[in-house]
């Protein structure tokens, strides 16, 4: 990228495209450049201000008053542009409209509500790992584990029917691409999106959902009057949009981290209770959700710069999660570290409402795998999957040595 | 300006379970408001209309107060406190002894009285029960919902916030008892209709009358706030306590001003956490014995009564010893 100083206020200016394939393949050099350029950099190509240091990203995430979400959390500004689908009642909403949906979903997906799933998911993970190992000790971890486990347990937990579950991944992939500019990745997903959206829309209706599950619990909240019946299907939609791809890429991230750090795998095997920390450390290290935008509700001073009102601000969660000002040896995947406070799930009142679900899924898989597998290593060239928002693996060939 | 802080600064950070009194203002006969801020001036935990905080006063009493300020101001809470001469001493302490600069213990905010979506709202407030209704009115305005308020009190000069309410014109009926007698609730509510929610806060007899008046309305129309004095086996402590870690058999001492999470980390026991203000739930820890002093925004009364888990980023101990499943 070309980095220059603005003639007027000394603000660093860059013409980089953070959504180019070159950056999506390896965003780490850009993250470092942006962090070191200053607390805020103007990205001239998209007319946005970028934050890449931990303190500024954290501060913007929690400050919903000055950094709103209702104008969209992608590049598109809903004040002036039509959203590609009806906005999310959670991700793309501000208080007070945000309050009731968030309150309901927080309860439905809270740690206490998940207790009844813990044993079942542990057993499901054991079964899946047994199946995978029965078929051989070399496999693509993305399809065999990262996709297989969430697609096995999450749609059941929501209460989806058996048909069409293969639509979840491409729908989520497109939704996360759509937060970026309208580039080739968005164009790639466009032909199928009407069909996928229609399927997702159908699954959100009360009659499509099982009598028990997250979906039914959301409709029960509508029956109690905690949300309106019009809000219920859109809140179910949030689960289906944000609950699958993110977890898949999170599990891939932790598996890749272990495959490339064999000493850490040995440590997990010796201390299986580290599974929870391992997953959050991988979320910090890899940041499956790389970026989100906010829109300023007033002129906001950041460092020496003033971002005007109504302006898009791009927060690099991934760069904050490796900011050396915050993290010692940030590029190391280290189970001895306390990853608490990373912004991989966001922070503040929009913080990932499904984070406890993701943790429980990952913990289930890691615990089962650690019990059965002594060594885990990469067994061939890996391939990235590019997405405007997500950091993902297309495949992860792995070889394991059963314990 | 972007309020950059260092929320991750570990034990060198600020105590998230105290607030400092910034202002104390007499707003009516027997009513003062307190403006509270974080000791470092940082953001306070977010809240929604209907929420309350627990304040632990220097005399050891914990009292619940509805937040009645502006949630767009992340740096200040406002509560209104009625002097209750027959009370157990909390309000007398606030009125007579608490002063700007004093630090009080904070729990929450929690919301057991949330505003649910509706086409229109009917608000009924009696006396100091006006406090949770104030931010609800702001909310109803922002949501472009239709709303009206009837506000009763003993006499006009004992009724707080009349100046703030005056801006709303005839949406607000102010009905001091010495001028108007008891509130005419059936007249105010009118005929039952769907899509309306009735929110009431005030003394028990008013709420009982409101329940009777809403008998013919669709189910779940009426929402009321009843503060039940928190029954604790032991008062909130200001002295150190011990945390026993069941799995390792170790014991860690937690000093005042240090969170359980920080004390554990210092002893080399990391518990995964995230928000560090009792809102996200990441650090949930199983409690095997002892009585937690819950300061989080997550557990409802039922969850607290169960006593089987706590959030050590903010919650502490009432008992000398807590046994955690760590």
């Amino acid at each position: 990228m070309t980095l220059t100083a603005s003639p007027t206020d000394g603000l660093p200016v860059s013409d980089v495209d953070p959504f180019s394939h070159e950056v999506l393949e390896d965003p780490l050099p850009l993250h470092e450049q942006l962090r070191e350029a200053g607390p805020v950099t103007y990205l001239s190509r998209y007319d946005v201000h970028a934050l890449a240091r931990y303190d500024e990203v954290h501060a913007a995430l929690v400050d919903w008053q000055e950094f709103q979400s209702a104008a969209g959390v992608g590049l598109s500004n809903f004040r002036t542009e039509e959203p590609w689908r009806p906005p999310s009642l959670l991700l793309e909403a501000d208080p007070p409209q945000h309050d009731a949906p968030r309150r309901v979903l927080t309860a439905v997906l809270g740690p206490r509500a998940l207790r009844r799933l813990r044993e079942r998911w542990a057993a499901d993970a054991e079964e899946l790992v047994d199946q995978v190992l029965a078929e051989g000790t070399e496999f693509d971890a993305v399809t065999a584990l990262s996709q297989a486990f969430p697609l096995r347990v999450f749609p059941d937990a929501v209460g989806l029917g058996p048909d069409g579950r293969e639509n979840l991944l491409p729908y989520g992939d497109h939704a996360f691409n759509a937060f970026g500019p309208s580039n080739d990745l968005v164009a790639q997903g466009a032909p199928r999106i009407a069909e996928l959206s229609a399927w997702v829309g159908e699954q959100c209706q009360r009659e499509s959902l099982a009598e028990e599950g997250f979906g039914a619990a959301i409709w029960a909240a509508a029956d109690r009057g905690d949300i309106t019946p019009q809000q219920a299907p859109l809140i179910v939609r949030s689960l289906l949009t944000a609950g699958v791809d993110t977890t898949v890429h999170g599990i891939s991230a932790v598996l890749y981290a272990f495959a490339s750090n064999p000493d850490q795998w040995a440590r997990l095997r010796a201390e299986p209770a580290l599974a929870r920390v391992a997953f959050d450390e991988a979320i910090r290290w890899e940041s499956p959700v790389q970026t989100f935008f906010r829109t300023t509700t007033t002129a906001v001073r950041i460092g020496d710069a003033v971002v005007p009102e109504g302006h898009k601000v791009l927060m690099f969660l991934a760069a904050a999660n490796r900011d050396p000002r915050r993290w010692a040896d940030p590029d190391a995947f280290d189970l001895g570290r306390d990853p608490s406070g990373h912004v991989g799930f966001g922070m503040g009142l929009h913080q990932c409402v499904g984070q406890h679900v993701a943790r429980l899924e990952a913990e289930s898989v890691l615990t089962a795998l650690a019990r059965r597998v002594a060594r885990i290593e990469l067994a061939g060239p890996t391939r990235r999957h590019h997405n405007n928002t997500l950091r993902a693996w297309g495949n992860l060939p792995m070889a394991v040595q059963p314990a | 300006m972007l309020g950059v802080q260092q929320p991750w600064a570990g034990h060198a950070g600020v105590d998230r379970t105290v607030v400092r009194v910034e202002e104390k203002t007499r707003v009516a006969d027997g009513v003062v408001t307190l403006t509270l801020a974080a000791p470092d001036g940082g953001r306070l935990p977010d809240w929604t209309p209907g929420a309350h905080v627990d304040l632990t006063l220097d005399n050891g009493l914990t009292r619940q107060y509805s937040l009645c300020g502006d949630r767009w101001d992340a740096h200040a809470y406002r509560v209104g406190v009625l002097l209750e001469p027959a009370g157990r001493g909390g309000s007398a302490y606030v009125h007579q002894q608490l002063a700007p600069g004093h630090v009080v213990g904070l729990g929450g905010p929690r919301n057991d009285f949330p505003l649910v979506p509706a086409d229109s709202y009917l608000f009924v407030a009696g006396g100091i029960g006006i406090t949770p209704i104030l931010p609800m009115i702001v909310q109803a305005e922002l949501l472009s919902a239709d709303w009206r308020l009837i506000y009763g009190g003993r006499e006009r000069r004992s009724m707080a916030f009349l100046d703030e309410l005056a801006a709303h014109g005839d949406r607000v009926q102010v009905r001091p008892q010495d001028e108007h007698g008891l509130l005419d609730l059936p007249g105010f509510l009118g005929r039952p209709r769907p899509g309306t929610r009735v929110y009431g806060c005030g003394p028990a007899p008013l709420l009982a009358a409101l329940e009777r008046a809403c008998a013919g309305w669709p189910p779940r129309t009426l929402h009321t706030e009843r503060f039940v004095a928190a029954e604790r086996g032991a008062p909130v402590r200001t002295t150190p306590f011990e945390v026993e870690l069941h799995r390792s058999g170790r014991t860690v001492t937690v000093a005042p001003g240090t969170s359980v999470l920080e004390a554990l980390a210092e002893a080399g026991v990391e518990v995964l956490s995230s928000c560090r203000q009792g809102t996200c739930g990441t650090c949930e820890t199983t409690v095997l014995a002892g009585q937690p002093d819950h300061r989080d925004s997550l557990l409802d009364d039922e969850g607290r009564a169960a006593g089987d888990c706590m959030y050590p980023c903010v919650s502490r101990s009432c008992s000398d010893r807590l046994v955690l499943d760590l």
Side-chain angles (χ1 to χ4, degrees), chain A residues 129-371:
Chain A
V129 168
D130 284 350
Q131 278 169 10
V132 169
L133 295 180
E135 284 171 28
T137 54
E138 287 201 22
F139 49 82
D140 171 21
V142 171
T143 47
L145 294 171
S146 310
Q147 295 182 350
F149 189 71
L151 286 176
R152 182 177 180 134
V153 300
F154 187 73
D156 281 349
V158 173
L160 295 189
D163 299 329
R165 293 178 174 196
E166 68 279 4
N167 292 329
L168 289 167
L169 287 173
Y171 180 76
D173 196 52
H174 184 76
F176 281 98
N177 272 326
F179 293 125
S182 131
N183 57 13
D184 62 309
L185 289 168
V186 176
Q188 242 171 53
R192 285 197 67 203
I193 199 56
E195 163 216 342
L196 294 173
S197 298
W199 179 82
V200 166
E202 276 167 40
Q203 310 316 307
C204 297
Q205 301 306 315
R206 185 201 293 267
E207 50 279 11
S208 308
L209 293 158
E211 280 173 25
E212 265 187 59
F214 300 148
I218 290 166
W219 277 98
D223 293 341
R224 287 195 307 271
D226 294 344
I227 47 174
T228 67
Q230 293 76 34
Q231 290 175 319
L234 279 172
I235 298 171
V236 179
R237 192 192 71 177
S238 289
L239 288 182
L240 303 185
T241 311
V244 189
D245 295 65
T246 48
T247 318
V248 167
H249 303 322
I251 294 174
S252 284
V254 75
L255 293 176
Y256 173 75
F258 277 124
S260 46
N261 293 273
D263 54 326
Q264 299 302 308
W265 183 252
R267 190 165 180 175
L268 175 69
R269 293 206 69 223
E271 241 184 296
L274 284 174
R276 260 169 73 79
V277 167
F279 182 60
D280 267 66
E281 168 66 350
I283 298 299
R284 179 198 69 79
W285 187 68
E286 179 90 339
S287 301
V289 177
Q290 294 268 296
T291 49
F292 266 127
F293 290 83
R294 292 287 188 265
T295 308
T296 50
T297 58
T298 179
V300 185
R301 172 170 289 280
I302 306 174
D304 294 329
V306 176
V307 181
E309 191 272 338
H311 204 82
K312 284 280 169 176
V313 174
L314 174 53
M315 308 174 297
F316 283 87
L317 311 181
N321 281 339
R322 291 196 186 205
D323 183 352
R325 294 161 191 79
R326 167 65 177 86
W327 310 97
D329 199 6
D331 295 331
F333 171 75
D334 178 5
L335 299 199
R337 175 202 308 281
D338 179 6
S340 299
H342 71 73
V343 291
F345 288 123
M347 197 58 73
L349 60 75
H350 290 286
Q351 190 178 29
C352 176
V353 71
Q355 59 181 302
H356 308 297
V357 183
R359 287 195 182 101
L360 188 57
E361 288 184 42
E363 188 186 344
S364 306
V365 171
L366 289 177
T367 305
L369 207 57
R371 193 168 298 160

Side-chain angles (χ1 to χ4, degrees), chain B:
Chain B
M1 195 173 109
L2 188 62
V4 174
Q5 291 170 326
Q6 298 196 330
W8 44 274
H11 59 269
V14 289
D15 186 348
R16 304 255 153 221
T17 56
V18 295
V19 281
R20 190 176 57 218
V21 178
E22 297 294 304
E23 285 173 39
K24 176 174 159 182
T25 312
R26 186 178 169 282
V27 293
D29 265 13
V31 181
V32 294
T33 57
L34 302 177
T35 304
L36 307 166
D40 68 343
R43 286 182 68 95
L44 292 163
D46 293 318
W47 58 281
T48 51
H52 68 268
V53 290
D54 294 331
L55 296 185
T56 301
L57 307 168
D58 248 6
N59 60 0
L61 290 170
T62 294
R63 288 291 175 268
Q64 301 180 322
Y65 298 106
S66 295
L67 292 173
C68 64
D70 174 11
R71 66 191 291 212
W72 267 261
D73 180 355
H75 301 272
Y77 288 158
R78 182 175 74 161
V79 297
V81 182
L82 169 71
L83 178 63
E84 293 177 272
R88 288 188 293 169
S91 68
Y93 181 86
V94 168
H95 275 255
Q96 288 150 22
Q97 299 190 48
L98 199 63
H102 288 188
V103 169
V104 295
L106 174 75
R110 287 197 291 152
N111 196 342
D112 303 325
F113 191 38
L115 199 63
V116 299
D119 303 327
S120 65
Y121 299 98
L122 294 171
F123 297 116
V124 177
I128 198 64
I130 188 64
T131 49
I133 304 297
L134 288 179
M136 289 186 180
I137 287 173
V138 174
Q139 190 102 326
E141 287 275 316
L142 285 168
L143 293 165
S144 307
D146 192 22
W147 67 271
R148 285 185 298 123
L149 162 68
I150 190 165
Y151 176 21
R154 277 177 290 111
E155 49 190 349
R156 192 171 288 270
R157 62 195 178 114
S158 71
M159 295 172 67
F161 310 114
L162 294 179
D163 50 342
E164 292 176 28
L165 292 167
H168 298 293
D170 59 8
R171 281 185 184 275
V172 177
Q173 301 174 24
V174 177
R175 295 286 181 270
Q177 197 175 341
D178 63 343
E179 297 170 29
H180 298 269
L182 291 177
L183 294 182
D184 173 17
L185 293 175
F188 172 71
L189 297 171
R191 299 164 71 110
R193 50 203 178 278
T196 296
R197 294 285 180 272
V198 179
Y199 277 76
C201 188
L206 173 67
L207 296 185
L210 186 56
E211 236 163 69
R212 288 193 298 274
C214 286
W217 285 68
R220 301 198 174 88
T221 295
L222 177 61
H223 295 246
T224 58
E225 172 93 308
R226 286 166 207 275
F227 283 132
V228 186
E231 291 304 332
R232 296 170 189 271
V236 167
R237 52 190 306 137
T238 51
T239 50
F241 54 92
E242 293 197 325
V243 174
E244 184 184 318
L245 311 179
H246 175 70
R247 287 188 229 164
S248 65
R250 296 177 58 188
T251 297
V252 174
T253 301
V254 183
T258 303
S259 73
V260 173
L261 200 68
E262 289 160 359
L264 291 173
E266 265 178 70
V269 183
E270 306 284 3
V271 175
L272 191 69
S273 69
S274 181
C275 73
R276 298 197 183 171
Q277 57 178 14
T279 56
C280 77
T282 302
C283 66
E284 185 178 286
T285 301
T286 300
V287 177
L288 300 172
Q291 190 189 5
D293 167 13
H294 296 289
R295 304 288 188 97
D296 60 273
S297 304
L298 289 149
L299 290 178
D300 55 16
D301 288 338
E302 200 183 322
R304 289 178 176 215
D308 57 354
C309 74
M310 69 180 289
Y311 300 97
C313 65
V314 290
S315 295
R316 309 184 59 81
S317 179
C318 293
S319 48
D320 295 338
R321 196 175 181 83
L322 279 181
V323 183
L324 302 181
D325 189 18
L326 289 173

